[in-house]
Amino acid sequence: MDYALKRFLQLIPILLGITFLSFLLMYMAGSDAVTELYTNRGIEVAQEVIDARREELGLNRPFFEQYLHWLWSLLHGDMGVSYVTGEAVFAAFLRKLPATLLLTVLSVVLTVVISLPCGIAAAVQRDKTVDSVLRFVSFIGNAMPNFFVAMLLMQFLGIQLGVLPVISGGMDVKSAVMPTLTLAIAMSAKYLRQVRSAVLEELGKDYVQGAMARGVSDRIILWKNVMKASLLTIMTLLALSIGSLLGGTAIIESIFMWDGVGKMAVDAINMRDYPVIQMYVMWMAIIYVFVNLVTDLLYHRLDPRIRLGVSRQ
């Protein structure tokens, strides 16, 4: 409990530092939301109009004054409004979050369904045909970037076969299939190798050899001993992936026009929409700190040998 409270308190300076750096980087970008808004719309207006709009949004103020004003509003529960749409930032975030949550759940479930049995099969059948085929497939999957996989799926499933929509039409099953497959293919390729390595490491330990010598069946050894010990590695990988997915996979959401948090962030960056960017940055920071905290606490639950501040013997 003390450790959880300590980590929670550490969240405050981390968040402040991250928001300050992100605000500074956007300030140094050389343009702002007003400039981008008129440029993208191809509207030619007098400089006086641009200056008046900047003054209205506070963009003509010095950097520290802008940041402190935003921080003061945040401490009073106000995340501000979008410079582009005029919508409350927090309301817009909550509207986009369900799409990202759905994509996260579907991708993680599919990844586990694919990588766990394949990784176990590759470890049990080490250096045999099954192992060689699975490792080759995982190598190909790791070598292909997500956007390339997305393009292949769009070409075959969307354009040639016509069974799935190329562009998302909302949070329906058909629209979710291709972005889910794109994310799951890359993660499954990585996790298959990690699961294989974790299981192989446990299979080589003395307690496994001792259990086999006593006549314990291979199935019991694998599922009751080896998999339980390997769960820590698998859990860590899943926790990191969930954190990344909850932050929104910006490239994939943008390619498929999936209306989630990641696409919202990309649009905000393109338009220099500072309040929306700051909301996204805070969300990412909170997710990663929270996921790491939960992972540490689960380690204590799953492995009693792990104690903070005490080296494992």
Side-chain angles (χ1 to χ4, degrees):
M1 190 65 184
D2 292 339
Y3 174 71
L5 179 61
K6 180 181 178 181
R7 288 292 300 272
F8 178 76
L9 293 176
Q10 290 175 346
L11 174 64
I12 298 174
I14 291 174
L15 286 176
L16 289 175
I18 291 174
T19 57
F20 178 82
L21 289 175
S22 64
F23 210 99
L24 177 62
L25 290 173
M26 292 305 301
Y27 183 82
M28 297 172 59
S31 63
D32 54 33
V34 176
T35 303
E36 295 296 328
L37 183 61
Y38 287 124
T39 300
N40 289 345
R41 293 181 179 179
I43 301 175
E44 294 185 6
V45 296
Q47 186 63 38
E48 290 77 9
V49 175
I50 296 178
D51 293 339
R53 182 58 176 162
R54 283 176 177 162
E55 184 175 359
E56 179 184 351
L57 297 176
L59 295 175
N60 60 337
R61 302 175 185 174
F63 166 75
F64 282 103
E65 187 176 342
Q66 289 187 44
Y67 176 73
L68 291 176
H69 175 75
W70 174 84
L71 186 60
W72 180 257
S73 298
L74 174 65
L75 294 176
H76 287 77
D78 181 11
M79 292 296 299
V81 297
S82 169
Y83 290 163
V84 178
T85 65
E87 183 181 6
V89 171
F90 191 66
F93 172 77
L94 292 179
R95 184 164 48 83
K96 306 284 187 180
L97 186 58
T100 295
L101 290 176
L102 176 62
L103 201 57
T104 298
V105 172
L106 293 177
S107 301
V108 170
V109 170
L110 185 57
T111 297
V112 172
V113 169
I114 295 174
S115 62
L116 197 58
C118 289
I120 295 171
V124 173
Q125 301 292 324
R126 181 181 183 180
D127 296 331
K128 296 182 180 179
T129 303
V130 172
D131 182 30
S132 299
V133 171
L134 289 174
R135 280 192 293 167
F136 176 76
V137 171
S138 70
F139 176 79
I140 297 298
N142 274 312
M144 294 191 299
N146 276 349
F147 72 87
F148 181 70
V149 176
M151 295 301 179
L152 289 178
L153 292 176
M154 292 171 74
Q155 176 65 29
F156 290 106
L157 298 181
I159 298 175
Q160 292 190 358
L161 298 180
V163 295
L164 294 171
V166 175
I167 301 299
S168 171
M171 291 176 57
D172 57 276
V173 175
K174 282 191 173 183
S175 296
V177 170
M178 282 204 284
T180 299
L181 280 176
T182 302
L183 295 171
I185 287 173
M187 291 194 298
S188 298
K190 177 175 65 177
Y191 289 169
L192 190 156
R193 300 177 71 88
Q194 296 292 340
V195 171
R196 177 183 180 275
S197 298
V199 173
L200 280 177
E201 182 180 355
E202 291 299 321
L203 287 175
K205 291 185 177 179
D206 293 338
Y207 77 88
V208 174
Q209 304 301 322
M212 294 176 64
R214 293 194 300 271
V216 181
S217 69
D218 294 343
R219 184 180 297 273
I220 293 177
I221 294 174
L222 178 63
W223 292 106
K224 288 192 175 182
N225 301 108
V226 173
M227 287 308 301
K228 184 178 180 180
S230 303
L231 189 60
L232 291 175
T233 300
I234 299 170
M235 183 188 68
T236 303
L237 292 170
L238 285 176
L240 293 174
S241 292
I242 290 173
S244 177
L245 291 170
L246 284 175
T249 50
I251 295 177
I252 301 305
E253 289 185 4
S254 297
I255 289 175
F256 292 104
M257 298 301 290
W258 184 262
D259 196 21
V261 174
K263 183 177 179 298
M264 179 190 72
V266 172
D267 293 341
I269 291 171
N270 289 333
M271 296 299 296
R272 306 294 190 269
D273 198 348
Y274 298 158
V276 177
I277 295 172
Q278 289 298 90
M279 175 73 244
Y280 177 74
V281 169
M282 285 196 62
W283 168 248
M284 288 291 292
I286 291 172
I287 284 297
Y288 275 102
V289 172
F290 177 75
V291 165
N292 280 290
L293 173 60
V294 171
T295 303
D296 287 342
L297 295 177
L298 287 177
Y299 266 33
H300 283 270
R301 180 70 175 174
L302 294 173
D303 190 346
R305 299 172 300 173
I306 299 178
R307 292 294 183 269
L308 295 173
V310 179
S311 60
R312 282 181 285 175
Q313 302 294 329

